[in-house]
């Protein structure tokens, strides 16, 4: 070996004492760590000296015992429960359940509820279940995702929450301090040394070094954490997926303008301010913990923008590997898609322009229940919660016409066309491809007919609450039905009010097209009409087949139990529904 090769080897040679590795729980061969990091482990007690990191329940059958919160009757969910005794005596069946989830810090990932009726009797009786740390149920703490495809992320777990094996939780007397620590790059630094995999186990987290922090730093940490949680909650609650969703930010009074474009511009500026503020607070939280642990020369307090976990932050929501222009167009498109979804919710009676939050969200609720809460609505919900989605205007109360009415009620009639144009323009940024010569209303109709339900499936994680009944690939007839307002007479009404009348309309339209073809003097026009007639005949055949199947199922007067969940209930209608395999997992 040459002298030069020997020198090169020396540059990459580390000398470390085995005793140094023993200072770190698990004794990892982390030869590169600094003296300051070693002292953090050797001079401080572990996290389990000030609290307890707990693994959560393993139900044995998540499909049976866990549901997305929006699948079940909202009236059956118990919130803010403080103890198992209170839960048992409350009469509620479902309770918020933390199950890990995607990379998100501070607040969020409130997706699931667990069947804990009668102190979890169904869970206890399941042969494959494992109940862990039940005495910590319903207590506030800090939860995180057991397995992550990205970095470690922790969130507040509030009073009333239960927790899963995939969402372990740390309980202590100082939840704010614990949350600040877990979300700091100091804790991540320690965790990467102890456990470099993407599995954040209770044992590893329990062994994190925990330093007593002086009062000045502690006050700063708590102040930052309170605001960080507040911002995270504001952002999480802006989505329909939150059970605390009130209304879209576009309808907030502080940003409201008669023109949608101006409203979007105002709220997007506000989102940028919020994102920048959270990034600054996270950087300060990192700085305070770096100072407390004496790691100033080793760690940077920087908080990368793509890890500021707000849905209104496009760098986090869509990834940092896109251009600024593309990120902005994605955010604009999704914001207007969410407005369309909210409008559909208002048509169904789930939401109201006159009262924030959920209105009809429990099984068996009716239009009268809506009117009891909103006696004189500006925008009335559909009387039967059957909303046609058709590629032509066959019904005056179809989703497209009602969306146009929604815009008129909210923003007024004068700017209606400009607002329709902005919605259509935004949808064409990413949701659907633009079509030359198409009017804004036709673009919106095309989005509702071809893409809305796909977006709804993605938003509601393949557990849709608006179900798409479809005659088939030719789309002769399609309609949305609101799950919570479905009853055993819904299919019969769908048939008599929509399918049978549509059949007559298609017959009349076919006769008109035949007459137009006979009268046409243009070869090109004749060819166009022949093509349209051929398509219409396919739709007529498809509709006749659909009507026969619909009559069969309507005669059965199928009832649903929301506690069974969407996956089970969606499979009760054969192929009357679209995307059956995607929802049920079966053909």
């Amino acid at each position: 070996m040459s002298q030069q090769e020997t020198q090169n080897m020396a540059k990459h040679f580390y000398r470390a004492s085995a005793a140094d590795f023993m200072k770190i729980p698990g004794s990892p061969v982390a030869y590169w760590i600094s003296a300051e990091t070693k002292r953090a482990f050797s001079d401080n007690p572990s996290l389990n000296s000030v609290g307890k990191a707990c693994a959560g329940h393993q139900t044995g059958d998540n499909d049976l015992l866990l549901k997305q919160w929006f699948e079940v009757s909202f009236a059956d969910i118990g919130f803010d429960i403080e103890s198992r005794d209170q839960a048992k005596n409350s009469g509620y069946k479902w309770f918020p359940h933390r199950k890990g989830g995607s990379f998100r810090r501070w607040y969020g990932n409130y997706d699931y509820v667990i069947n804990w009726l009668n102190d979890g009797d169904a869970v206890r009786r399941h042969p494959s279940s494992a109940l862990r740390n039940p005495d910590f149920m319903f207590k506030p703490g800090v939860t995180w995702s057991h397995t992550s495809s990205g970095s470690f992320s922790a969130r507040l777990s509030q009073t009333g929450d239960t927790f899963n094996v995939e969402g372990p939780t740390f309980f202590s007397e100082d939840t704010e301090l614990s949350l600040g620590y877990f979300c700091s790059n100091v804790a991540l630094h320690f965790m990467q040394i102890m456990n470099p995999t993407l599995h954040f186990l209770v044992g590893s987290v329990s062994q994190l070094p925990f330093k007593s922090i002086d009062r000045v730093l502690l006050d700063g940490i708590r102040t930052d954490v309170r605001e960080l949680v507040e911002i995270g909650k504001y952002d999480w609650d802006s989505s329909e997926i939150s059970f605390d969703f009130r209304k879209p930010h576009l309808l907030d009074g502080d940003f409201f303008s008669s023109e949608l474009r101006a409203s979007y511009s105002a709220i997007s500026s506000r989102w940028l301010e919020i994102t920048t503020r959270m990034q600054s607070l996270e950087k300060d939280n990192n700085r305070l913990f770096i100072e407390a642990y004496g790691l100033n020369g080793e760690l940077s307090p920087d908080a990368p923008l793509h890890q500021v976990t707000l849905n209104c932050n496009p760098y986090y929501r869509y990834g940092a590997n896109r251009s600024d222009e593309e990120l902005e167009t994605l955010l604009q498109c999704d914001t207007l898609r969410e407005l369309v979804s909210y409008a559909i919710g208002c048509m169904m009676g789930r939401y109201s322009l006159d009262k924030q939050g959920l209105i009809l969200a429990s099984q068996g609720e009716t239009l009268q229940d809506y009117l009891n809460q909103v006696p004189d609505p500006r925008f009335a919900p559909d009387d039967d919660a059957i909303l046609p989605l058709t590629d032509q205007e066959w019904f005056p109360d179809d989703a497209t016409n009602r969306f146009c009415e929604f815009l008129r009620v909210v923003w007024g009639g004068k700017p209606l066309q400009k607002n329709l144009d902005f919605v259509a323009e935004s949808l064409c940024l990413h949701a659907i491809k633009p079509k030359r010569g198409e009017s804004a209303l036709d673009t919106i109709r095309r989005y509702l007919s071809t893409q809305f339900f796909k977006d709804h499936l993605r938003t509601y994680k393949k557990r849709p609450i608006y179900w798409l009944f479809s005659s088939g690939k030719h789309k002769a007839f399609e309609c949305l039905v609101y799950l919570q307002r479905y009853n055993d007479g819904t299919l019969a009404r769908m048939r008599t009010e929509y399918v049978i009348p549509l059949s007559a309309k298609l017959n009349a339209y076919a006769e008109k097209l035949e007459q137009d073809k006979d009268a046409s003097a243009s070869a090109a026009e004749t060819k166009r009409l022949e093509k349209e007639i051929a398509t219409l005949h396919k739709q007529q055949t498809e509709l006749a087949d659909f009507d026969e199947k619909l009559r069969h199922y309507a005669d059965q007067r199928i009832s649903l139990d929301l506690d069974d969940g969407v996956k089970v209930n969606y499979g009760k209608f054969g192929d009357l529904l679209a995307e059956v395999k995607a929802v049920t997992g079966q053909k």
Side-chain angles (χ1 to χ4, degrees):
M1 183 179 294
S2 69
Q3 182 179 0
Q4 182 62 45
E5 289 173 328
T6 302
Q7 290 174 346
N8 288 341
M9 285 188 64
K11 293 178 182 178
H12 302 285
F13 179 77
Y14 295 86
R15 185 180 301 277
S17 167
D20 288 338
F21 300 142
M22 299 296 291
K23 297 174 182 178
I24 305 172
S27 302
V29 185
Y31 53 81
W32 61 86
I33 65 175
S34 69
E36 289 80 6
T37 295
K38 292 174 187 174
R39 280 195 292 271
F41 282 99
S42 63
D43 296 353
N44 296 297
S46 60
L47 198 62
N48 61 14
S49 66
V50 294
K52 181 176 175 60
C54 297
H57 303 323
Q58 182 176 311
T59 66
D61 189 340
N62 285 346
D63 282 345
L64 176 66
L65 298 167
L66 298 184
K67 296 289 181 284
Q68 299 276 351
W69 70 264
F70 43 78
E71 295 182 74
V72 303
S73 289
F74 193 71
D76 291 338
I77 304 176
F79 295 98
D80 303 319
I81 299 297
E82 297 182 357
S83 69
R84 288 169 59 192
D85 284 343
Q86 185 183 356
K88 185 175 182 179
N89 296 327
S90 68
Y92 291 115
K93 180 174 183 176
W94 302 96
F95 299 85
H97 191 65
R98 309 311 297 266
K99 195 176 175 289
S102 60
F103 174 69
R104 187 177 175 96
R105 293 192 177 110
W106 307 110
Y107 189 93
N109 290 3
Y110 272 102
D111 302 317
Y112 289 90
V113 288
I114 187 172
N115 176 358
W116 200 254
L117 183 67
N118 194 25
D119 200 33
D121 182 61
V123 180
R124 294 174 186 280
R125 287 189 287 105
H126 196 282
S128 301
S129 70
L131 295 182
R132 301 185 181 95
N133 301 295
D135 291 340
F136 286 88
M137 292 179 65
F138 305 112
K139 298 181 184 297
V142 178
T143 188
W144 67 92
S145 302
H146 172 278
T147 305
S148 173
S149 59
S151 186
F152 179 79
S153 63
R155 296 162 292 281
L156 177 67
S157 184
Q158 301 178 104
T159 298
D161 294 350
T162 62
F163 55 106
N164 187 269
V165 66
E166 291 292 330
T169 306
F170 180 75
F171 300 93
S172 69
E173 292 186 359
D174 196 333
T175 301
E176 288 177 346
L177 175 60
S178 302
L179 181 57
Y181 181 42
F182 277 43
C183 290
S184 73
N185 57 8
V186 171
L188 178 60
H189 171 64
F190 294 149
M191 217 171 303
Q192 288 173 333
I193 294 169
M194 296 166 55
N195 181 22
T197 71
L198 295 178
H199 296 278
F200 303 106
L201 308 176
V202 165
S204 300
V205 172
S206 297
Q207 296 300 316
L208 289 172
F210 187 80
K211 184 180 179 65
S212 179
I213 299 177
D214 71 54
R215 175 60 59 182
V216 174
L217 293 180
L218 192 58
D219 288 345
I221 290 168
R222 287 173 176 158
T223 299
D224 285 349
V225 168
R226 280 192 287 271
E227 187 173 353
L228 284 160
V229 169
E230 182 181 335
I231 293 173
K233 187 176 190 309
Y234 170 82
D235 178 75
W236 180 259
D237 290 347
S238 70
S239 167
E240 288 183 24
I241 293 300
S242 169
F243 42 68
D244 279 332
F245 172 75
R246 295 292 180 262
K247 61 181 178 181
H249 286 166
L250 281 172
L251 273 65
D252 281 354
D254 292 342
F255 313 106
F256 188 82
S257 170
S258 62
E259 292 191 16
L260 253 175
R261 190 182 302 272
S263 295
Y264 176 75
S265 178
I267 192 60
S268 61
S269 295
R270 175 59 176 158
W271 287 339
L272 178 59
E273 293 173 6
I274 290 171
T275 301
T276 302
R277 177 59 179 164
M278 178 168 259
Q279 184 182 33
S280 175
L281 288 166
E282 289 195 345
K283 183 176 180 179
D284 193 52
N285 184 67
N286 288 336
R287 179 188 62 78
L288 291 169
F289 278 101
I290 289 171
E291 184 176 341
Y293 282 81
L295 298 173
N296 299 74
E298 189 168 354
L299 296 180
S300 167
D302 288 346
L305 189 58
H306 70 276
Q307 291 191 5
V308 177
T309 56
L310 297 172
N311 289 328
C312 67
N313 171 21
Y315 294 91
Y316 159 72
R317 185 168 178 173
Y318 308 112
N321 58 343
R322 302 174 187 264
S323 68
D324 290 351
E325 181 180 5
E326 186 178 6
L327 290 172
E328 174 52 40
T329 58
L330 281 166
L331 187 60
Q332 179 180 328
C333 179
D334 281 348
T335 301
L336 272 297
R337 279 198 273 204
E338 289 161 4
L339 180 67
V340 173
S341 180
Y342 174 74
I344 296 290
C346 289
M347 297 172 205
M348 295 297 195
R350 183 173 178 84
Y351 307 115
S352 170
L353 292 173
D354 303 293
K355 183 179 179 181
Q356 296 185 21
L358 293 169
I359 309 299
L360 302 183
S362 299
Q363 187 165 12
E365 291 184 322
T366 65
L367 181 60
Q368 187 57 53
D369 293 313
Y370 179 99
L371 295 174
N372 290 342
Q373 296 186 60
V374 188
D376 188 22
R378 288 182 291 155
F379 182 81
D382 193 78
D383 58 354
D384 55 18
I386 301 172
L387 198 61
L389 295 180
T390 52
D391 57 4
Q392 294 188 54
E393 186 182 342
W394 296 116
F395 302 99
D397 64 342
D398 70 16
T400 305
N401 287 333
R402 294 234 59 200
F403 180 73
C404 187
E405 179 191 352
F406 173 86
L407 291 183
R408 183 184 292 109
V409 169
V410 178
W411 280 277
K414 188 174 181 180
L416 176 62
Q417 189 57 53
K418 287 184 178 180
N419 290 337
L420 287 169
D421 290 343
F422 183 67
V423 173
E425 169 194 321
S426 300
L427 293 175
C428 286
L429 292 174
H430 281 278
I432 54 174
K433 293 181 179 180
K435 193 173 183 179
R436 182 177 297 178
E438 186 176 59
S439 70
L441 198 60
D442 284 343
T443 298
I444 294 168
R445 179 177 296 279
R446 181 163 58 91
Y447 168 75
L448 287 166
S449 175
T450 64
Q451 186 62 37
F452 171 79
F453 187 68
K454 296 176 183 177
D455 291 341
H456 181 66
L457 273 181
R458 184 172 61 252
T459 298
Y460 283 82
K461 303 179 181 180
K462 297 183 180 178
R463 298 293 182 266
I465 58 172
Y466 310 134
W467 290 7
L468 182 61
F469 284 82
S470 174
S471 60
K473 68 177 182 178
H474 298 296
K475 293 180 175 291
F477 175 75
E478 291 187 326
C479 70
L480 296 172
V481 171
Y482 181 27
L483 169 62
Q484 271 81 351
R485 288 184 63 193
Y486 170 89
N487 60 64
D488 61 11
T490 296
L491 297 189
R493 176 150 184 160
M494 184 189 303
R495 185 167 181 259
T496 57
E497 295 292 325
Y498 298 99
V499 175
I500 292 175
L502 179 60
S503 179
K505 291 179 181 182
L506 291 182
N507 291 339
Y509 188 53
E511 291 179 7
K512 178 183 181 302
L513 290 179
E514 290 286 358
Q515 293 171 2
D516 290 345
K517 186 188 76 168
D518 293 342
S520 175
S522 164
E525 177 69 8
T526 299
K527 187 175 182 179
R528 184 192 67 78
L529 287 168
E530 287 175 344
K531 184 177 180 180
E532 189 173 353
I533 290 169
T535 299
L536 189 59
H537 285 164
K538 291 177 182 177
Q539 289 183 325
Q540 287 176 297
T541 300
E542 180 181 270
L543 187 63
D545 292 341
F546 180 75
D547 181 46
E548 182 61 27
K549 288 185 289 186
L550 183 60
R551 182 188 61 78
H552 170 72
Y553 282 98
D555 289 345
Q556 295 180 42
R557 298 190 67 86
I558 298 170
S559 61
L560 304 179
D561 182 348
L562 295 191
D563 287 344
D564 290 337
V566 168
K567 187 174 181 179
V568 170
N569 285 322
Y570 205 81
K572 294 181 178 180
F573 298 90
D575 59 353
L576 290 180
L577 289 163
E579 303 287 352
V580 175
K581 184 177 180 181
V583 176
T584 67
Q586 301 173 352
K587 292 184 179 180

